[in-house]
């Protein structure tokens, strides 16, 4: 084994070990919110790779409130943060004096338009992949979107990475700059993915791909993206790029590809982050006790309701009452005594309404954590004055400001920088005006999504 691979495997194993506490929480959340992700944290996807996936894994999911709240949460975040029907950000010069320059403004507007054109092309698949990011954002508190360009054409390409596959590290500024991803591919896919002249495929892969018994067998690939310590800025190849990219075939400890990125390709969003923790915590982690309690309460209420509908019967053993029929129109001889008093009584089942009330309490807590009740206010109270609407929006903006601010700073901002970098490399952007070049070419992003407008509702109010 090469020293390079040995070092990265050691780092990867340390990252796995240090994340075990989070993995336990995410496994519990997946069991009750996304059963398809069960065993994808501790098992690292081995179960799905060996069985082909498709298992139900719904044994612990008695109530669907949390799963529906997660679906609504991801839909709300998408429609309010990255709505498909509008341009939710624009580019402006970093230098204040250049904002009055018409050529600079027109140039940045054109760059902004081309960003949205490429982002929402069907081939890019931004919408479908960003929805997966928001689901992971709500369920696990972390979302990862990989941004690159197709090898056979120009433009942008997006792919949501499952948290169970990915492990990341922060730099001294608290920004994620290193990503380790372990995933599975079969020999046929490996040959398709690593077919560049610079790639080195082991001979065993070609042999495995020839035989039907092994052509679909899954093998683990480790992808490492880290800042390049030995970067040579004078070189134009991957050795001169800020980030190194390494693909290892772990079955034979073989380096498949060594390349690089000019910008970090996988912006990561974290819902809530606490001190000394690299990974975020999502709404599901905050109310995981309520989600578990609700499922147990639902299980108990189902049992109790079954007893109400089909009660347990208590009968006096006097030799008269024999087999008791519960069929409609059945006649049970001996079910009453000579005075007409029943000799068979149902077992008391308690107050079913109490269980329903307890479940509603937990449902309110879960819906509050996923912001469902927050965004239902305008729907439930449509008869409001303009002042009331502005006040509601201001209150919402105050509550979602921490979430939106963090998402813009560490997810949308780096993602837009990555997109601009890729389009510039492909020559798909117009030439910059001299004024902007002289000023260093700096720009900044101004967000104009519905959530951003909520944050600015104080001024309107």
């Amino acid at each position: 084994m090469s020293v390079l691979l040995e070092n990265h495997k050691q780092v990867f194993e340390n990252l796995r070990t240090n994340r075990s506490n989070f993995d336990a929480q995410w496994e519990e959340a997946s069991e009750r919110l996304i059963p398809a992700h069960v065993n994808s944290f501790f098992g690292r996807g081995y179960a799905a790779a060996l069985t082909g996936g498709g298992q139900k894994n719904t044994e612990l999911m008695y109530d669907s409130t949390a799963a529906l709240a997660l679906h609504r949460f991801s839909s709300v975040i998408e429609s309010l943060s990255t709505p498909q029907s509008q341009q939710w950000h624009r580019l402006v010069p970093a230098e204040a004096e250049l904002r009055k320059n018409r050529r600079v403004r027109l140039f940045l507007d054109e760059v902004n338009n081309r960003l949205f054109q490429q982002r929402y092309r069907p081939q890019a698949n931004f919408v479908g992949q960003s929805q997966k990011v928001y689901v992971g954002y709500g369920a696990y508190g972390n979302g990862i979107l990989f941004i690159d360009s197709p090898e056979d054409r120009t433009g942008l390409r997006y792919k949501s990475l499952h948290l169970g596959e990915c492990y990341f590290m922060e730099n001294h500024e608290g920004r994620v700059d290193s990503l380790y991803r372990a995933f599975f591919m079969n020999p046929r896919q490996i040959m398709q993915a690593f077919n560049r002249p610079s790639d080195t495929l082991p001979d065993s892969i070609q042999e495995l791909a020839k035989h039907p018994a092994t052509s679909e067998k899954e093998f683990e690939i480790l992808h490492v993206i880290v800042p390049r310590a030995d970067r040579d800025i004078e070189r134009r190849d991957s050795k001169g790029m800020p980030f190194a990219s390494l693909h290892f075939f772990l079955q034979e400890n073989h380096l498949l590809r060594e390349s690089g990125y000019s910008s970090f390709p996988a912006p990561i969003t974290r819902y809530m982050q606490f001190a000394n923790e690299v990974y975020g915590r999502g709404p599901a982690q905050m109310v995981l006790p309520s989600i578990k309690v609700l499922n147990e309460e639902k299980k108990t209420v189902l049992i109790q309701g079954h007893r109400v509908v089909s009660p347990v019967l208590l009968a006096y053993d006097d030799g008269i009452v024999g087999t008791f029929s519960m069929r409609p129109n059945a006649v049970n001889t001996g079910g009453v005594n000579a005075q007409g008093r029943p000799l068979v009584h149902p077992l008391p089942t308690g107050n079913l309404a109490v269980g329903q009330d307890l479940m509603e309490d937990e449902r309110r807590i879960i819906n509050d954590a996923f912001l469902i009740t927050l965004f239902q206010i305008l729907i439930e109270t449509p008869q409001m004055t303009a002042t009331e609407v502005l006040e509601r929006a201001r209150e919402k903006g105050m509550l979602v400001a921490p979430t939106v601010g963090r998402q813009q700073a560490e997810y949308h901002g780096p993602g837009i920088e990555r997109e601009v970098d890729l389009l510039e490399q492909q020559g798909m952007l117009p030439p910059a005006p001299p004024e902007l070049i002289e000023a260093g070419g700096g720009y900044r992003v101004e967000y104009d999504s519905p959530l951003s407008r909520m944050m600015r509702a104080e001024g309107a109010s």
Side-chain angles (χ1 to χ4, degrees):
M1 184 189 305
S2 67
V3 176
L4 180 65
L5 175 56
E6 185 177 2
N7 291 340
H8 283 301
K9 285 189 71 173
Q10 184 61 50
V11 173
F12 177 57
E13 293 301 327
N14 291 339
L15 291 173
R16 286 184 56 205
T17 302
N18 295 336
R19 204 180 77 171
S20 57
N21 291 335
F22 276 107
D23 285 332
Q25 295 186 49
W26 295 333
E27 277 288 343
E28 288 188 332
S30 66
E31 290 171 345
R32 295 161 177 86
L33 278 81
I34 315 177
H37 289 176
V38 171
N39 296 326
S40 62
F41 293 98
F42 282 140
R44 287 172 56 207
Y46 282 118
L50 294 175
T51 62
Q55 294 79 22
K56 291 190 294 185
N57 297 325
T58 54
E59 293 83 0
L60 299 177
M61 192 174 176
Y62 290 91
D63 188 271
S64 300
T65 298
L68 292 175
L70 172 63
H71 173 72
R72 293 171 180 171
F73 171 85
S74 62
S75 299
V76 166
I77 293 297
E78 184 206 2
S79 60
L80 295 182
S81 182
T82 56
Q84 304 176 41
S85 59
Q86 67 181 79
Q87 290 194 356
W88 42 270
H89 70 75
R90 57 181 175 268
L91 305 181
V92 297
E95 300 291 337
E97 56 269 17
L98 288 180
R99 298 179 190 176
K100 299 179 182 179
N101 188 298
R102 186 171 183 272
R103 285 199 299 179
V104 172
R105 292 202 316 268
L106 291 176
F107 165 75
L108 291 177
D109 287 344
E110 179 61 22
V111 172
N112 199 62
N113 291 334
R114 296 192 185 187
L115 275 178
F116 277 91
Q117 290 172 2
Q118 295 298 322
R119 185 183 294 147
Y120 287 100
R121 291 172 60 200
Q123 299 87 342
N125 198 18
F126 172 78
V127 175
Q129 298 302 312
S130 62
Q131 287 174 349
K132 293 183 180 180
V133 171
Y134 293 135
V135 169
Y137 184 59
Y140 313 121
N142 301 270
I144 309 167
L145 184 65
F146 189 83
I147 308 173
D148 67 346
S149 55
E151 296 185 3
D152 57 344
R153 60 182 183 273
T154 59
L156 302 173
R157 180 176 61 181
Y158 302 85
K159 179 175 177 57
S160 170
L161 303 183
H162 178 44
L163 182 61
E165 300 176 346
C166 299
Y167 303 79
F168 45 83
M169 298 185 294
E170 295 177 333
N171 61 13
H172 66 287
E173 297 176 341
R175 296 187 64 174
V176 175
D177 67 344
S178 300
L179 177 68
Y180 285 71
R181 180 191 176 211
F183 59 100
F184 292 89
M185 299 179 73
N186 60 46
R188 177 178 55 83
Q189 294 170 332
I190 294 175
M191 293 183 63
Q192 292 172 345
F194 300 96
N195 56 7
R196 298 178 184 174
S198 58
D199 296 340
T200 57
L201 279 173
D203 296 336
S204 59
I205 288 294
Q206 300 182 21
E207 293 298 323
L208 291 169
K210 293 179 182 178
H211 301 287
T214 57
S215 62
E216 298 300 317
K217 184 179 179 181
E218 301 282 349
F219 294 93
E220 192 171 22
I221 307 296
L222 177 63
H223 186 196
V224 178
I225 304 172
V226 293
R228 187 177 290 279
D230 57 347
R231 179 189 179 193
D232 185 355
I233 59 175
E234 296 182 356
R235 297 186 59 164
R236 305 294 296 176
D237 58 2
S238 61
K239 297 289 186 181
M241 294 184 179
F243 295 92
S245 172
L246 305 166
H247 286 84
F248 297 103
F249 180 53
L250 296 182
Q251 178 78 6
E252 298 184 10
N253 297 322
H254 182 87
L255 177 62
L256 294 170
R257 174 184 295 167
E258 180 178 2
S259 58
Y261 298 107
S262 57
S263 53
F264 191 67
I268 295 170
T269 178
R270 293 170 286 188
Y271 187 81
M272 184 180 297
Q273 189 182 13
F274 292 96
N276 301 320
E277 292 183 352
V278 176
Y279 298 93
R281 298 172 183 254
Q285 281 72 65
M286 291 189 292
V287 293
L288 187 57
S290 292
I291 295 174
K292 296 166 70 175
V293 166
L294 176 59
N295 278 274
E296 290 300 317
E297 289 176 344
K298 183 65 172 289
K299 180 180 178 181
T300 302
V301 168
L302 286 173
I303 296 173
Q304 187 182 18
H306 193 185
R307 288 173 179 167
V308 171
V309 177
S310 183
V312 177
L313 301 179
L314 304 177
Y316 177 64
D317 186 12
D318 59 355
I320 298 176
V321 179
T323 303
F324 199 85
S325 175
M326 298 289 288
R327 292 182 293 107
N329 298 322
V331 177
N332 292 286
T333 305
V336 297
N337 60 14
Q339 287 75 34
R341 291 198 303 269
L343 298 178
V344 179
H345 298 273
L347 178 70
T349 57
N351 190 348
L352 191 62
V354 173
Q356 297 286 356
D357 292 339
L358 292 174
M359 291 172 58
E360 286 302 318
D361 290 341
E362 302 300 335
R363 285 179 176 139
R364 278 193 292 269
I365 294 174
I366 294 170
N367 286 328
D368 282 344
F370 283 98
L371 307 179
I372 304 303
T373 54
L374 178 64
F375 291 103
Q376 283 181 336
I377 295 175
L378 294 177
I379 298 175
E380 295 174 350
T381 55
Q383 302 298 326
M384 291 190 295
T385 64
T387 303
E388 290 175 321
V389 171
L390 287 173
E391 185 63 22
R392 297 282 191 183
R394 187 183 69 85
E395 292 175 355
K396 288 182 182 181
M398 294 172 60
L399 292 173
V400 301
T403 301
V404 177
R406 182 177 195 89
Q407 194 178 61
Q408 292 175 352
E410 69 176 15
Y411 179 59
H412 293 311
I416 294 170
E417 291 178 359
R418 171 66 176 165
E419 293 166 333
V420 172
D421 181 34
L422 289 173
L423 295 182
E424 186 177 16
Q425 291 179 33
Q426 300 173 52
M428 300 183 67
L429 298 182
E435 299 91 335
L436 188 61
I437 296 176
E438 292 176 3
Y443 66 89
R444 66 183 184 87
V445 182
E446 284 189 354
Y447 297 94
D448 195 29
S449 65
L451 275 178
S452 301
R453 291 196 291 272
M454 286 181 185
M455 294 173 59
R456 299 194 298 267
E458 178 70 30
S461 179

